[in-house]
């Protein structure tokens, strides 16, 4: 993809695109913002993207996945909103700590400043202190090389807690000059079945709400299940006070979210945006992306993959995992049918094994706490013995080693300290540096760490294309107990990836990846490889899992 290196330099300052949402949440603001980013990158612009979230948690790291979906982790160890996952997957570049700010984080900074006496005795207020800090957060991603910064504002216009962010955007636009800042408003346009009509009123109301706080949108992005005809679009333009060409349709896509960049490209949103921002119009080749989407649309077969976890009922709790499974499917021209299995349901169901009939591979993802852990062990035992290709992620790796200890090594009472503090055989234990930790937020082993691949002939090493050192992201407090390593190895469980902080002290190394010998594919990792997968570049461990599942299917 073009990087902008040979492109003509943009005139003037970094331009800004703000994306707000109206009417209801869950409209796909993140995917829309990311799609805009993709188009601008394909035009050769250097783009950064960030999300400002109005809730008061400092970050989503302490939130229950049932509340907020997956916690996405960046290379630099920030625990963030899952929209950052969409940003990375669509833009193909890593986000950082500055790619996301919540109200909680903004307030924390301002209150710390106040305690340190940095406001010289002044009264500290939402305007200007909080709004100034929000503007600083926006500028934290701007430098001379950045052509466009896209900033998504979480929540929906009209939310009380979103007001300081909206006010900061208003001020920011005033200070930067209207020509350098564009406001895109994403609104829901419902289709009322009983009346057989598309309704524009909710969108009009949400634009009115924006106008009340001094924000006039330049673009109206219309999320709708039905196509909008010209009459409806003209009406929206007139009553929402935007140019006719600035009304863009975002209908439901047929196959995958990766069609959204093509959908907005077809409508020329990229040209309209750069024109409005006074940037040189450049060609925007979507050839590679189109090719990828064509692959997605024409799979040669369907594979059935079971995801066994405890937050299964929340659609977004394992967002990056389900994405990574799909990406791996695309790589093999396969469609993935995902079977979501709640792990504690396996504990109660006497006929639980039947649920895995016809399953081509199993993934056990990360998680916290006791609920459903024994169900994960059952699923893993089935994968090991039947055998079914298996990939364990973080808690999934911890569970795989506990299962092996109990059922292969015969260590009764083997467990993780997280599930049983008095376990007779503590296979998984709290990491040393975690023992003194009392605060919950931001204190796990977080972010990217190197992992040495120890065995050239292993499936792990082959999956990673023979690399000797790889980097993966982490989010955990417990680790494999090195005291048991020898016993495991002798019984055929290989430690194929290790974190080696100091080569002179091998006993301090940490188990990162395991696999079982003589199995089509039984690999598990302490890391979260799903965070680094994208449709353009599927993650090797997922790709190898799907490859093994397909091979098994062909020979069955
Ligand atoms: N609860 C386990 C730990 O803290 C696993 C964490 C995870 O799966 N992200 O080590």
């Amino acid at each position: 993809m073009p990087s902008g290196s040979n492109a003509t330099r943009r005139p003037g300052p970094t331009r800004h695109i703000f994306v707000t949402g109206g009417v209801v949440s869950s409209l796909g603001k993140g995917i829309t913002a990311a799609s805009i980013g993709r188009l601008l990158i394909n035009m050769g612009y250097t783009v950064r993207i960030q999300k400002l979230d109005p809730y008061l948690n400092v970050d989503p790291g302490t939130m229950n996945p049932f509340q907020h979906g997956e916690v996405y982790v960046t290379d630099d160890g920030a625990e963030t909103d899952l929209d950052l996952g969409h940003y990375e997957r669509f833009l193909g570049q890593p986000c950082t700590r500055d790619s996301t700010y919540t109200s909680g984080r903004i307030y924390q900074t301002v209150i710390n400043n106040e305690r340190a006496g940095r406001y010289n005795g002044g009264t500290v207020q939402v305007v200007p202190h909080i709004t100034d800090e929000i503007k600083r957060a926006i500028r934290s991603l701007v430098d001379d090389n950045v052509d466009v910064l896209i900033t998504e504002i979480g929540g929906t216009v009209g939310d009380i807690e979103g007001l300081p962010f909206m006010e900061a955007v208003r001020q920011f636009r005033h200070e930067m000059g209207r020509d350098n800042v564009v406001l895109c408003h994403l609104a829901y346009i419902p289709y009322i079945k009983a009346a057989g009509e598309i309704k524009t009123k909710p969108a009009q109301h949400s634009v009115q709400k924006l106008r009340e706080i001094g924000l006039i949108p330049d673009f109206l992005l219309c999320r709708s299940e039905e196509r909008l005809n010209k009459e409806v679009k003209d009406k929206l333009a007139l009553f929402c006070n935007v140019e006719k060409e600035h009304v863009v349709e975002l209908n439901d896509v047929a196959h995958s979210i990766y069609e959204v960049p093509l959908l907005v490209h077809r409508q020329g949103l990229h040209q309209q945006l750069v024109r409005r921002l006074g940037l040189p119009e450049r060609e925007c080749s979507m050839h590679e992306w189109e090719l990828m989407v064509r692959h997605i649309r024409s799979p040669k077969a369907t594979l059935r993959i079971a995801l066994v976890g405890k937050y299964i009922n929340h659609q977004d709790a394992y967002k990056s995992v389900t994405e990574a499974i799909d990406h791996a499917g695309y790589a093999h021209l396969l469609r993935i049918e995902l079977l979501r299995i709640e792990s504690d349901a396996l504990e109660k169901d006497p006929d639980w094994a039947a649920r895995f009939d016809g399953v081509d591979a199993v993934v056990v993802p990360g998680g916290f706490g006791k609920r459903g852990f024994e169900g994960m062990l059952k699923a893993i035992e089935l994968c090991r013995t039947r055998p079914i290709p298996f990939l364990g992620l973080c808690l999934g790796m911890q569970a795989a080693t506990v299962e092996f200890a109990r059922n292969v090594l015969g260590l009764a009472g083997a467990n993780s300290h997280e599930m049983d503090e008095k376990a007779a055989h503590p296979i998984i234990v709290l990491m040393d540096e975690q023992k003194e930790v009392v605060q919950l937020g931001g204190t796990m082993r977080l972010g990217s760490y190197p992992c040495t691949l120890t065995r050239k002939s292993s499936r792990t090493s082959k999956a990673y294309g023979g690399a000797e050192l790889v980097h993966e992201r982490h989010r955990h407090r417990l680790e494999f107990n090195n005291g048991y390593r020898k016993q495991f190895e002798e019984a055929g469980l290989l430690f194929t990836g290790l974190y080696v902080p100091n080569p002179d002290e091998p006993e301090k190394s940490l188990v990162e990846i395991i696999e079982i010998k003589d199995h089509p594919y039984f690999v598990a990792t302490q890391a979260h490889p799903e965070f680094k997968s994208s449709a353009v570049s599927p993650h090797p461990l997922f790709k190898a899992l799907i490859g093994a599942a397909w091979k098994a299917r062909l020979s069955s």
Side-chain angles (χ1 to χ4, degrees):
M1 303 279 167
S3 65
S5 50
N6 57 358
T8 45
R9 180 137 168 68
R10 61 144 217 276
T14 297
R15 309 300 205 274
H16 291 265
I17 298 175
F18 289 95
V19 182
T20 57
V23 185
V24 287
S25 60
S26 305
L27 290 180
K29 242 187 309 154
I31 289 168
T32 308
S35 298
I36 291 174
R38 181 73 255 171
L39 297 192
L40 293 171
I41 287 179
N42 282 15
M43 291 174 101
Y45 286 109
T46 304
V47 178
R48 296 283 177 273
I49 185 162
Q50 73 177 170
K51 174 143 195 210
L52 305 180
D53 258 318
Y55 53 78
L56 283 174
N57 302 63
V58 172
D59 60 44
T62 55
M63 287 191 208
N64 185 325
F66 280 126
Q67 285 267 317
H68 195 71
E70 163 187 278
V71 174
Y72 188 78
V73 181
T74 56
D75 276 335
D76 64 354
E79 296 175 285
T80 74
D81 186 89
L82 58 82
D83 271 329
L84 270 77
H86 292 311
Y87 298 168
E88 290 201 0
R89 291 188 282 267
F90 276 65
L91 272 64
Q93 60 191 33
C95 288
T96 67
R97 208 164 270 288
D98 289 333
S99 313
T100 174
Y101 284 84
T102 66
S103 281
R105 186 168 163 205
I106 299 280
Y107 272 81
Q108 193 178 47
T109 308
V110 170
I111 291 168
N112 287 346
N113 285 344
E114 184 271 337
R115 293 288 84 182
R118 292 203 187 103
Y119 298 118
N120 298 326
T123 308
V124 181
Q125 294 176 298
V126 172
V127 181
H129 300 94
I130 295 295
T131 46
D132 280 353
E133 185 54 30
I134 295 172
K135 288 187 282 178
R136 196 203 57 75
I138 296 169
R139 287 196 195 94
S140 69
L141 276 184
V142 172
D143 65 46
D144 278 351
N145 296 320
V146 178
D147 296 319
V148 183
L149 172 63
I150 302 168
T151 304
E152 177 192 347
I153 312 288
T156 308
V157 56
D159 294 347
I160 292 174
E161 57 187 10
L163 279 174
F165 288 94
M166 297 299 185
E167 168 60 12
V169 174
R170 189 196 65 74
Q171 291 179 18
F172 192 82
R173 195 182 204 193
H174 184 78
E175 288 162 9
M176 290 290 298
R178 284 191 56 120
D179 291 347
N180 297 319
V181 180
V182 149
L183 196 70
C184 296
H185 186 59
L186 177 65
Y188 182 53
I189 318 286
Y191 173 74
I192 309 293
K193 246 200 203 142
E197 256 183 77
I198 284 170
K199 293 291 183 189
T200 62
K201 198 53 82 56
Q204 292 181 43
H205 277 296
S206 75
V207 170
Q208 247 166 43
K209 265 263 163 279
L210 273 178
R211 280 208 297 256
E212 273 170 29
I213 44 183
L215 289 173
I216 300 171
D218 304 280
F219 286 80
L220 191 68
L221 311 177
C222 307
R223 185 77 178 81
S224 61
E225 279 126 46
E226 297 291 320
R227 292 295 312 263
L228 307 180
N229 60 29
K230 186 167 176 321
E231 196 190 328
V232 171
K233 283 208 232 166
D234 289 353
K235 188 172 168 189
L236 280 164
L238 180 66
F239 292 115
C240 296
N241 210 22
V242 297
E243 309 270 332
K244 279 184 189 168
E245 312 77 69
H246 290 184
V247 177
V248 173
E249 278 184 75
L250 284 167
N251 324 110
D252 284 356
V253 283
H255 298 273
S256 86
I257 53 170
Y258 298 101
E259 293 177 43
V260 177
L262 300 178
L263 182 69
V264 287
H265 180 257
R266 274 200 296 277
Q267 297 174 69
L269 177 60
H270 55 299
Q271 286 156 341
Q272 296 293 344
L273 279 170
V274 297
R275 224 171 271 165
R276 167 67 183 73
L277 287 168
L279 291 169
E281 271 183 57
R282 298 178 183 157
E283 213 197 310
C284 178
S285 166
M286 295 301 286
H287 183 67
E288 279 178 52
W289 200 271
E290 260 162 21
L291 215 63
M292 176 183 85
V293 169
R294 216 173 298 151
H295 272 172
I296 297 173
R297 282 192 193 148
S298 46
K300 60 185 178 200
T302 298
L303 279 192
R304 202 158 203 232
I305 309 299
L307 181 67
V308 183
K310 62 186 282 193
Y311 313 112
I312 287 301
N313 289 332
H314 191 294
Q315 190 64 24
D316 284 340
Y318 303 108
K319 191 72 198 159
S320 295
V321 177
T322 56
E323 281 288 315
I325 296 171
D326 278 339
H327 302 154
Y330 305 155
H332 293 279
L333 286 179
L334 294 166
R335 192 182 83 84
I336 303 297
E337 182 194 332
L338 194 75
L339 185 67
R340 293 168 178 265
I341 298 181
E342 193 156 17
S343 53
D344 40 357
L346 299 177
E347 293 166 21
K348 296 166 209 145
D349 180 2
D351 199 22
W352 64 272
R355 296 182 187 221
F356 292 87
D357 290 345
V359 162
D360 295 293
V362 174
V363 176
V364 175
F368 296 83
K370 206 169 168 175
R371 184 174 67 80
F373 188 66
E374 294 295 322
M376 293 174 197
L377 299 184
K378 284 182 161 192
I380 292 170
E381 182 181 2
L382 193 78
C383 292
R384 184 174 56 74
T385 51
R386 209 176 247 191
I388 303 172
F390 164 77
L391 179 62
L393 309 168
C394 204
L395 184 66
M397 184 204 87
Q398 299 178 353
T401 55
V402 170
E403 190 280 323
F404 195 88
R406 284 190 198 170
N407 301 327
V408 179
L409 303 180
L411 302 176
N415 214 333
S416 159
H417 262 168
E418 187 179 359
M419 316 305 159
D420 177 6
E421 277 182 17
K422 298 195 184 82
H425 289 285
I427 306 299
I428 302 295
V429 290
L430 201 61
M431 300 174 69
D432 275 343
E433 64 261 36
Q434 288 288 329
K435 289 186 178 144
E436 308 300 318
V437 171
V438 278
Q439 288 261 70
L440 271 191
T443 54
M444 283 188 245
R445 179 174 182 249
L446 289 167
S448 182
Y449 284 90
C451 165
T452 306
L453 302 185
T454 56
R455 286 168 186 261
K456 270 235 157 313
S457 57
S458 65
R459 289 189 194 289
T460 308
S461 191
K462 282 188 190 139
Y464 276 109
E468 284 169 12
L469 192 74
V470 293
H471 290 81
E472 296 290 357
R473 299 182 193 170
H474 296 75
R475 181 172 186 250
H476 65 117
R477 288 187 204 283
L478 293 97
E479 61 173 324
F480 180 81
N481 183 346
N482 280 335
Y484 287 94
R485 250 203 237 175
K486 198 157 173 282
Q487 250 177 298
F488 273 72
E489 238 157 358
E490 282 166 4
L493 187 138
L494 308 175
F495 299 96
T496 50
L498 296 175
Y499 168 64
V500 188
N502 182 355
D504 297 332
E505 295 177 296
E507 70 285 356
K508 290 218 173 124
S509 64
L510 197 142
V511 171
E512 289 281 3
I513 310 179
I514 61 153
E515 71 178 60
I516 290 182
K517 260 205 253 175
D518 309 323
H519 187 289
Y521 192 84
F522 190 105
V523 175
T525 167
Q526 187 57 76
H528 287 277
E530 66 272 20
F531 293 142
K532 287 179 79 170
S533 182
S534 71
V536 179
S537 172
H539 192 282
L541 292 182
F542 284 87
K543 199 168 152 187
L545 171 81
I546 299 301
W550 180 237
K551 200 169 154 197
R553 167 76 80 84
L554 289 179
S555 60
S556 66

